Amino acid sequence: MNFSFELHATDGKARTGVIKTARGDIRTPAFMPVGTAGTVKAMMPGSVRDTGADILLGNTYHLMLRPTAERIDRLGGLHKFMNWERPILTDSGGFQVMSLADLRKLTEKGVTFKSHIDGSKHEITPERSMEIQRLLGSDIVMCFDECPALPADRKTIADSMRLSMRWAARSRDAFGDRPGHALFGIQQGGLEQDFRAESAQSLIDIGFDGYALGGLAVGEGQKAMFDVLDFAPDMLPQDKPRYLMGVGKPDDIVGAVARGVDMMDCVLPSRSGRTGQVFTRRGVVNIKNARHADDPRPLDEDCTCPACQNYSRAYLHHVFRSQEIISSMLLTWHNLHYYQELMAGMRRAIGEGCFESWQRTFHQSKAQGDIEQI
Amino acid sequence: MNFSFELHATDGKARTGVIKTARGDIRTPAFMPVGTAGTVKAMMPGSVRDTGADILLGNTYHLMLRPTAERIDRLGGLHKFMNWERPILTDSGGFQVMSLADLRKLTEKGVTFKSHIDGSKHEITPERSMEIQRLLGSDIVMCFDECPALPADRKTIADSMRLSMRWAARSRDAFGDRPGHALFGIQQGGLEQDFRAESAQSLIDIGFDGYALGGLAVGEGQKAMFDVLDFAPDMLPQDKPRYLMGVGKPDDIVGAVARGVDMMDCVLPSRSGRTGQVFTRRGVVNIKNARHADDPRPLDEDCTCPACQNYSRAYLHHVFRSQEIISSMLLTWHNLHYYQELMAGMRRAIGEGCFESWQRTFHQSKAQGDIEQI
């Protein structure tokens, strides 16, 4: 079975549909939980699926360093290794080389760097990135790209974007013909409309199964990101999925979907679960706060996740304060459940043509803030 | 419904039966996982039940300090708080005051100490221990006792045992009449047969719903413990459950059951799960060892726990080395599953009158050691 994308409905610029892959369907707009090192932290894969996730993201950079792509390949691939049978998207390693590794050296050929784990020396080129992602068995492979830190001057952004476009062509060549597996190009160009257009055209000329919006959610702020999303998705093909990388907070996600984005990923719901930050329809709750110590109510009385069905805020406060592992387990589950419910709500609203009123309700509910202290 | 104990079969000194409580049956011999601070670490309560556990142990000392017994009472009791509807046994707090708290002061009245968490000052007396355990909603309440560190001279052991017996009488008085809730006495007397006999008679004169063997598994070694277990359980009533506190390794447990013990608890399976020590029929496996890095085989190919059904040793090694939370989740689940399978195997063997041959098989399997390296 080959990779395909069906659009079922649009509402304004928002779209809903399904990406069909050999390992199952991905309902869009889709949120992809991040399973950095072969696990969505503090979650069993079955529980991740229970939240409604159709696809996970794996990090090439982390997996190539430990346990290594070659080892995962010998063990039958990442799906089997981590016990997740459904689709996996892997990033190219580029972004995390830039943010995590030591002593990076960037050339036309690729990047050399030292591992943040043990200082060992590694190289990623577009060709090596394609090889690693093939060894992992990724269903959706990302082109190897470079993402400059913002703010940067126009020349830096243009040079970097054009390097990424040359790497995109090399990635396409190295990926070859792999039925059932998809390769996504990544649009760059910072906040500059002309560079975004040039990048999109370069990618379209090469031809990809899907198109990502890269170089956003890197500290530019929501307004700047939305300004780019007001024009950048329109530059990409209508009939292919559009993936906004590394986004985001719930209102980032809603705003991105409203601007035509189909896929997103972010560590926020899982990372926040471990630090006691909880996402609810009424905004963020910090479970560490003493106001919860005697509160018999659930985080959200309408939420159907195990944390809300079976536990009081007082319990969640207690286990967070006591640094019990179940705190990370329950809060991560809740956050991922919240994110998937958010996506499901948007898919329904877009399908029914009422996404604008859905968005109003979303923002009103969030603006209410948390329930009154008891 | 009241508390009762039915013996179904004996084989040598080993016994199998059922303890009936208002919150469900406890099949004996029973192993009680430890849920120190309102959670069996790294496990959802439903998963603990799935391993076969009929009852959990909660620690009075930890819970009285955080979140406090009064708070748990206000929130509806420990069962509701931690989402475990089945029986809970709570210890008296005595043992952990001795092993964890600072600046302990022991008098006839009780013990004063400083919290190891925040240095706050607390007192536990037999009466306060009964009150705390009532506030928690414990199904099986333990007498407040004192347990001297071994080795100690005979006078120290005798004085301590007699203090514990006076406290047992005060615990009995303070406990009062609570239908559906049981109070267990605790035999002390170190390794001394005459003191164990005196202690047993004191407890029988007071009258309890069950009898624990205290002051063992405190560093005396397996041989010394088994020597005491060769005579001490026989001093306790045949028609009441016998509970060996804080035991132990799998072969400690098997040896204790062979000597007439019905109930045990220990942090070992859960704590070991977090440190990478795995119990299997073929002995202990240290998942941290590099020999597992490329091993596609499960921990135990005949084990039906999720860690063995869904993951390779290579994966478990990887997530342990990467300090991923799922490592603690999977290894704890496996260890608790192994312990409950051990208990189920003993219950079957005692019921069928073949416990001696079951023990031979157990020891032979363990003596084989782990499977050969690939």
Side-chain angles (χ1 to χ4, degrees):
Chain A
M1 179 170 179
N2 268 322
F3 182 90
S4 70
F5 179 50
E6 288 172 13
L7 262 184
H8 292 164
T10 59
D11 186 358
K13 285 190 177 182
R15 303 139 51 103
T16 183
V18 62
I19 299 169
K20 292 186 170 288
T21 82
R23 289 186 175 269
D25 290 355
I26 304 158
R27 296 162 291 179
T28 67
F31 179 78
M32 302 184 280
V34 178
T36 296
T39 162
V40 177
K41 292 184 197 300
M43 294 286 286
M44 295 284 196
S47 309
V48 176
R49 175 60 185 160
D50 287 345
T51 66
D54 292 332
I55 176 171
L56 295 187
L57 181 141
N59 287 126
T60 286
Y61 170 80
H62 288 88
L63 294 167
M64 73 177 280
L65 296 180
R66 186 171 59 189
T68 75
E70 282 69 17
R71 176 168 284 152
I72 288 178
D73 178 48
R74 282 196 299 275
L75 291 162
L78 183 57
H79 296 82
K80 184 175 175 191
F81 185 63
M82 71 182 291
N83 188 33
W84 174 264
E85 294 179 355
R86 290 175 180 273
I88 295 175
L89 179 150
T90 46
D91 60 14
S92 70
F95 182 77
Q96 281 165 328
V97 167
M98 301 304 161
S99 56
L100 291 176
D102 298 323
L103 292 174
R104 297 176 301 275
K105 204 181 144 196
L106 180 71
T107 67
E108 181 69 28
K109 186 183 172 207
V111 188
T112 57
F113 60 94
K114 281 193 166 180
S115 159
H116 74 290
I117 298 170
D118 62 6
S120 56
K121 210 177 153 184
H122 298 266
E123 180 177 41
I124 309 187
T125 61
E127 293 75 20
R128 176 62 181 154
S129 178
M130 294 305 104
E131 182 182 25
I132 293 170
Q133 294 181 74
R134 180 181 57 74
L135 290 168
L136 296 175
S138 173
D139 302 284
I140 302 181
V141 171
M142 300 304 296
C143 280
F144 189 61
D145 68 334
E146 206 251 330
C147 170
L150 297 183
D153 59 46
R154 276 181 53 89
K155 177 168 182 338
T156 303
I157 291 169
D159 288 349
S160 166
M161 179 270 287
R162 288 166 193 148
L163 175 63
S164 285
M165 296 306 104
R166 294 192 296 277
W167 285 0
R170 283 168 56 193
S171 293
R172 177 80 268 180
D173 286 346
F175 181 81
D177 185 27
R178 299 182 59 212
H181 298 265
L183 180 64
F184 278 26
I186 306 175
Q187 183 198 47
Q188 291 289 352
L191 310 179
E192 313 295 317
Q193 189 160 0
D194 53 345
F195 296 157
R196 287 275 166 189
E198 178 185 332
S199 178
Q201 196 53 54
S202 299
L203 295 174
I204 291 165
D205 290 346
I206 300 168
F208 289 97
D209 303 302
Y211 294 83
L213 298 132
L216 294 172
V218 291
E220 73 279 10
Q222 189 187 71
K223 185 183 177 307
M225 181 174 81
F226 282 177
D227 286 347
V228 173
L229 293 179
D230 281 336
F231 58 75
D234 302 326
M235 299 166 171
L236 302 172
Q238 284 284 335
D239 62 345
K240 302 287 180 188
R242 300 163 180 165
Y243 162 31
L244 177 59
M245 304 179 81
V247 170
K249 294 197 300 289
D251 52 5
D252 295 331
I253 286 181
V254 171
V257 168
R259 289 165 175 83
V261 166
D262 305 306
M263 305 165 70
M264 275 155 288
D265 77 282
C266 194
V267 296
L268 197 63
S270 41
R271 179 173 294 162
S272 298
R274 300 194 302 284
T275 59
Q277 286 243 322
V278 181
F279 296 97
T280 76
R281 290 171 301 123
R282 297 180 58 152
V284 172
V285 173
N286 190 337
I287 202 64
K288 168 166 54 185
N289 195 306
R291 64 169 279 192
H292 305 299
D294 269 305
D295 195 332
R297 298 170 298 178
L299 287 170
D300 179 343
E301 62 178 5
D302 293 328
C303 176
T304 59
C305 87
C308 291
Q309 290 290 305
N310 302 325
Y311 297 96
S312 60
R313 289 176 177 225
Y315 181 80
L316 298 171
H317 172 83
H318 164 66
V319 288
F320 180 82
R321 285 285 187 108
S322 303
Q323 299 178 42
E324 291 287 350
I325 291 173
I326 200 171
S327 174
S328 295
M329 294 163 66
L330 289 171
L331 299 184
T332 301
W333 195 324
H334 170 85
N335 281 345
L336 290 177
H337 181 95
Y338 170 81
Y339 266 65
Q340 294 298 341
E341 288 292 304
L342 186 73
M343 306 316 289
M346 287 193 285
R347 289 194 297 264
R348 270 193 305 273
I350 297 165
E352 293 166 7
C354 59
F355 188 48
E356 206 166 299
S357 80
W358 183 95
Q359 285 182 79
R360 264 197 309 277
T361 306
F362 166 81
H363 289 293
Q364 279 164 1
S365 176
K366 184 159 176 285
Q368 283 186 289
D370 194 16
I371 50 177
E372 289 292 312
Q373 187 170 353
I374 48 164
Chain B
M1 179 169 179
N2 268 322
F3 182 90
S4 69
F5 179 50
E6 288 172 12
L7 260 184
H8 292 163
T10 59
D11 186 357
K13 285 190 177 181
R15 303 139 51 104
T16 184
V18 62
I19 299 169
K20 292 186 170 289
T21 83
R23 287 185 177 270
D25 291 355
I26 304 158
R27 296 162 290 179
T28 67
F31 179 78
M32 302 184 281
V34 178
T36 296
T39 161
V40 177
K41 292 185 196 300
M43 294 286 286
M44 295 283 197
S47 309
V48 176
R49 175 60 185 159
D50 287 344
T51 66
D54 292 332
I55 176 170
L56 294 188
L57 182 142
N59 286 127
T60 286
Y61 170 81
H62 288 88
L63 293 167
M64 73 178 280
L65 297 179
R66 187 171 58 189
T68 77
E70 282 70 15
R71 176 167 284 152
I72 289 177
D73 178 48
R74 282 195 300 274
L75 291 161
L78 184 57
H79 297 82
K80 184 176 176 191
F81 186 62
M82 70 183 291
N83 188 33
W84 174 263
E85 294 180 354
R86 291 175 179 273
I88 294 176
L89 179 149
T90 46
D91 60 15
S92 70
F95 182 78
Q96 281 165 328
V97 168
M98 300 304 159
S99 55
L100 291 176
D102 297 324
L103 292 175
R104 297 176 300 276
K105 204 181 144 196
L106 180 72
T107 67
E108 181 69 28
K109 186 183 172 208
V111 188
T112 56
F113 60 93
K114 280 193 167 179
S115 159
H116 74 289
I117 298 171
D118 62 4
S120 58
K121 211 178 153 185
H122 299 267
E123 180 176 41
I124 309 186
T125 61
E127 293 74 20
R128 175 63 179 152
S129 178
M130 295 305 104
E131 183 182 25
I132 293 170
Q133 294 181 75
R134 179 181 58 72
L135 290 168
L136 295 175
S138 174
D139 303 283
I140 302 181
V141 171
M142 300 305 296
C143 281
F144 190 60
D145 68 335
E146 206 251 330
C147 170
L150 296 183
D153 59 45
R154 276 182 52 88
K155 176 166 183 341
T156 303
I157 291 169
D159 288 350
S160 166
M161 179 272 285
R162 286 168 193 147
L163 175 64
S164 285
M165 296 306 103
R166 294 191 295 277
W167 284 0
R170 282 168 57 193
S171 294
R172 176 82 266 180
D173 286 346
F175 181 81
D177 185 27
R178 299 182 59 211
H181 298 264
L183 179 64
F184 279 26
I186 306 175
Q187 183 199 48
Q188 291 289 354
L191 310 180
E192 314 294 318
Q193 189 160 1
D194 52 345
F195 296 157
R196 287 275 166 189
E198 179 185 332
S199 178
Q201 195 53 53
S202 299
L203 296 174
I204 291 166
D205 290 346
I206 300 168
F208 289 97
D209 303 302
Y211 294 84
L213 297 132
L216 294 173
V218 291
E220 73 280 10
Q222 189 187 70
K223 185 182 177 308
M225 182 174 80
F226 281 178
D227 286 348
V228 173
L229 292 179
D230 281 335
F231 58 74
D234 302 326
M235 298 166 172
L236 302 171
Q238 284 285 333
D239 62 345
K240 301 287 180 188
R242 299 163 181 166
Y243 162 32
L244 177 59
M245 304 179 79
V247 169
K249 295 197 299 289
D251 52 4
D252 296 330
I253 285 180
V254 171
V257 168
R259 289 166 175 83
V261 166
D262 305 306
M263 304 166 71
M264 276 155 289
D265 77 281
C266 194
V267 297
L268 197 63
S270 41
R271 179 173 293 162
S272 298
R274 301 194 301 285
T275 59
Q277 286 243 321
V278 181
F279 296 97
T280 76
R281 290 172 301 122
R282 297 181 58 153
V284 172
V285 172
N286 191 334
I287 202 65
K288 168 167 52 184
N289 194 306
R291 64 169 279 190
H292 305 298
D294 269 304
D295 196 332
R297 297 171 299 179
L299 287 170
D300 179 342
E301 62 177 5
D302 293 329
C303 177
T304 59
C305 87
C308 291
Q309 290 289 305
N310 302 326
Y311 297 96
S312 61
R313 289 176 177 224
Y315 181 80
L316 298 170
H317 173 82
H318 165 66
V319 288
F320 180 82
R321 285 285 188 106
S322 304
Q323 299 179 44
E324 290 287 351
I325 291 173
I326 200 171
S327 174
S328 296
M329 294 163 68
L330 289 170
L331 298 185
T332 301
W333 195 323
H334 170 85
N335 280 346
L336 290 177
H337 181 96
Y338 170 81
Y339 266 64
Q340 294 298 341
E341 288 292 303
L342 186 73
M343 306 315 288
M346 287 193 286
R347 290 194 297 264
R348 271 194 304 272
I350 297 165
E352 294 167 4
C354 59
F355 187 48
E356 206 166 299
S357 79
W358 183 96
Q359 285 183 80
R360 264 197 309 278
T361 306
F362 167 80
H363 289 294
Q364 279 164 2
S365 176
K366 184 158 175 285
Q368 283 186 290
D370 193 16
I371 50 177
E372 290 292 311
Q373 188 170 354
I374 48 162

